[in-house]
Amino acid sequence: MALSELYSDKILEIAGNAIQPGRLAAPDASARKVSRVCGSIIEVDIAVADGIITGYGHTVSACALGQTSAAIVAKAVVGTSVSDFTALRAQMLAMLKDGGQPPDGKWSNLAYLEPVRDFPARHASTMLVFDAVCDAIESLKAR
Protein backbone atom coordinates (compact mmCIF):
# COMPACT_ATOMS: atom_id res chain seq x y z
CA MET A 1 0.00 0.00 0.00
CA ALA A 2 1.30 3.43 -0.92
CA LEU A 3 1.30 6.16 1.71
CA SER A 4 -1.27 8.13 -0.31
CA GLU A 5 -3.66 5.15 -0.10
CA LEU A 6 -3.46 5.27 3.70
CA TYR A 7 -5.52 8.44 3.67
CA SER A 8 -8.80 6.78 2.73
CA ASP A 9 -11.95 8.72 1.93
CA LYS A 10 -13.35 7.72 5.34
CA ILE A 11 -10.29 9.00 7.22
CA LEU A 12 -10.41 12.27 5.29
CA GLU A 13 -14.16 12.53 5.95
CA ILE A 14 -13.80 11.99 9.71
CA ALA A 15 -10.88 14.42 9.93
CA GLY A 16 -12.61 16.99 7.74
CA ASN A 17 -15.85 16.92 9.72
CA ALA A 18 -14.29 16.67 13.17
CA ILE A 19 -15.89 18.61 15.96
CA GLN A 20 -13.48 20.98 17.67
CA PRO A 21 -14.51 20.79 21.31
CA GLY A 22 -12.04 23.43 22.51
CA ARG A 23 -10.60 23.34 26.00
CA LEU A 24 -12.50 22.76 29.26
CA ALA A 25 -12.88 25.78 31.54
CA ALA A 26 -12.11 23.82 34.71
CA PRO A 27 -10.50 20.45 33.89
CA ASP A 28 -9.46 17.94 36.53
CA ALA A 29 -6.35 17.18 34.47
CA SER A 30 -4.67 18.25 31.24
CA ALA A 31 -1.84 16.94 29.11
CA ARG A 32 0.08 18.00 26.03
CA LYS A 33 1.73 15.62 23.60
CA VAL A 34 3.93 16.32 20.59
CA SER A 35 4.92 13.78 17.96
CA ARG A 36 8.66 14.04 17.42
CA VAL A 37 8.28 12.39 14.03
CA CYS A 38 5.77 14.73 12.39
CA GLY A 39 5.32 17.66 14.77
CA SER A 40 1.63 16.96 15.46
CA ILE A 41 0.46 18.51 18.75
CA ILE A 42 -2.55 17.83 20.94
CA GLU A 43 -3.58 19.34 24.24
CA VAL A 44 -6.37 17.57 26.11
CA ASP A 45 -8.45 18.33 29.17
CA ILE A 46 -10.53 15.81 31.08
CA ALA A 47 -13.00 15.95 33.91
CA VAL A 48 -13.42 12.75 35.90
CA ALA A 49 -15.98 11.74 38.51
CA ASP A 50 -16.08 8.35 40.22
CA GLY A 51 -13.64 6.90 37.68
CA ILE A 52 -15.71 8.01 34.66
CA ILE A 53 -14.61 10.64 32.15
CA THR A 54 -17.39 13.23 32.39
CA GLY A 55 -15.87 16.01 30.33
CA TYR A 56 -13.38 16.27 27.50
CA GLY A 57 -11.80 19.05 25.50
CA HIS A 58 -8.88 19.36 23.13
CA THR A 59 -7.01 21.49 20.69
CA VAL A 60 -5.21 19.64 17.96
CA SER A 61 -2.79 20.52 15.20
CA ALA A 62 -2.11 17.25 13.43
CA CYS A 63 -2.14 15.36 10.18
CA ALA A 64 -5.33 13.64 9.01
CA LEU A 65 -4.49 10.51 11.02
CA GLY A 66 -4.04 12.44 14.26
CA GLN A 67 -7.16 14.47 13.55
CA THR A 68 -9.15 11.31 12.84
CA SER A 69 -8.19 9.54 16.06
CA ALA A 70 -8.78 12.76 18.05
CA ALA A 71 -12.20 13.23 16.42
CA ILE A 72 -13.27 9.68 17.25
CA VAL A 73 -12.10 10.06 20.86
CA ALA A 74 -13.83 13.44 21.23
CA LYS A 75 -17.10 11.93 20.05
CA ALA A 76 -17.07 8.83 22.30
CA VAL A 77 -14.87 9.43 25.36
CA VAL A 78 -17.42 11.04 27.71
CA GLY A 79 -18.99 8.26 29.75
CA THR A 80 -15.95 5.98 29.40
CA SER A 81 -14.26 4.75 32.56
CA VAL A 82 -10.60 5.64 32.98
CA SER A 83 -9.74 1.92 33.11
CA ASP A 84 -11.63 1.26 29.86
CA PHE A 85 -9.84 4.15 28.17
CA THR A 86 -6.47 2.86 29.34
CA ALA A 87 -7.40 -0.56 27.90
CA LEU A 88 -8.49 1.13 24.65
CA ARG A 89 -5.05 2.75 24.35
CA ALA A 90 -3.42 -0.65 24.81
CA GLN A 91 -5.73 -2.17 22.20
CA MET A 92 -4.88 0.57 19.69
CA LEU A 93 -1.17 0.05 20.29
CA ALA A 94 -1.60 -3.71 19.81
CA MET A 95 -3.59 -3.10 16.61
CA LEU A 96 -0.80 -0.94 15.18
CA LYS A 97 2.26 -2.81 16.42
CA ASP A 98 1.18 -6.44 16.86
CA GLY A 99 -1.60 -7.01 14.33
CA GLY A 100 -4.25 -6.98 17.05
CA GLN A 101 -7.94 -6.54 16.41
CA PRO A 102 -9.37 -3.03 16.11
CA PRO A 103 -11.72 -1.78 18.82
CA ASP A 104 -15.45 -2.35 18.39
CA GLY A 105 -18.66 -0.98 19.84
CA LYS A 106 -18.68 2.78 20.25
CA TRP A 107 -15.01 2.76 19.19
CA SER A 108 -15.56 0.84 15.92
CA ASN A 109 -14.59 3.83 13.72
CA LEU A 110 -11.03 3.36 14.98
CA ALA A 111 -10.89 0.35 12.62
CA TYR A 112 -10.47 2.83 9.75
CA LEU A 113 -6.99 3.47 11.18
CA GLU A 114 -5.97 -0.21 10.97
CA PRO A 115 -3.94 0.30 7.74
CA VAL A 116 -1.64 2.65 9.70
CA ARG A 117 0.05 -0.48 11.08
CA ASP A 118 2.01 -0.73 7.80
CA PHE A 119 3.47 2.76 8.34
CA PRO A 120 5.37 2.83 11.66
CA ALA A 121 6.31 6.49 11.15
CA ARG A 122 2.56 7.31 11.37
CA HIS A 123 1.91 5.40 14.61
CA ALA A 124 2.88 8.33 16.84
CA SER A 125 0.42 10.80 15.35
CA THR A 126 -2.35 8.19 15.41
CA MET A 127 -1.66 7.43 19.09
CA LEU A 128 -1.22 11.05 20.18
CA VAL A 129 -4.72 11.55 21.61
CA PHE A 130 -4.61 8.22 23.45
CA ASP A 131 -1.23 9.03 24.97
CA ALA A 132 -2.37 12.51 26.01
CA VAL A 133 -5.58 11.31 27.67
CA CYS A 134 -3.67 8.55 29.48
CA ASP A 135 -1.07 11.09 30.66
CA ALA A 136 -3.92 13.22 32.03
CA ILE A 137 -5.39 10.15 33.76
CA GLU A 138 -1.99 9.33 35.27
CA SER A 139 -1.59 12.88 36.57
CA LEU A 140 -4.93 12.47 38.39
CA LYS A 141 -3.76 9.21 39.96
CA ALA A 142 -0.52 10.87 41.09
CA ARG A 143 -2.43 13.44 43.15
Side-chain angles (χ1 to χ4, degrees):
M1 173 189 295
L3 181 59
S4 61
E5 294 172 39
L6 177 59
Y7 296 93
S8 68
D9 289 343
K10 192 63 179 176
I11 284 176
L12 295 175
E13 176 188 328
I14 292 169
N17 295 310
I19 57 166
Q20 299 301 326
R23 304 293 299 272
L24 294 182
D28 294 320
S30 300
R32 181 177 195 265
K33 295 297 280 185
V34 178
S35 169
R36 294 180 192 270
V37 176
C38 66
S40 292
I41 300 168
I42 190 164
E43 294 180 274
V44 302
D45 298 318
I46 58 172
V48 176
D50 299 320
I52 304 294
I53 298 170
T54 58
Y56 174 83
H58 76 230
T59 56
V60 62
S61 175
C63 67
L65 300 173
Q67 290 178 38
T68 298
S69 56
I72 294 167
V73 167
K75 197 170 197 175
V77 70
V78 172
T80 302
S81 72
V82 295
S83 60
D84 285 350
F85 192 87
T86 302
L88 175 67
R89 180 194 176 276
Q91 186 176 8
M92 283 297 294
L93 207 53
M95 179 185 86
L96 294 177
K97 298 201 177 291
D98 302 323
Q101 291 298 307
D104 56 12
K106 72 177 183 175
W107 300 107
S108 62
N109 279 347
L110 291 168
Y112 293 115
L113 295 164
E114 194 171 9
V116 176
R117 80 166 42 118
D118 296 333
F119 299 91
R122 300 292 187 253
H123 291 185
S125 60
T126 303
M127 291 299 299
L128 214 55
V129 68
F130 301 98
D131 295 342
V133 172
C134 285
D135 280 2
I137 290 168
E138 286 304 312
S139 74
L140 280 176
K141 290 179 183 178
R143 291 185 198 159

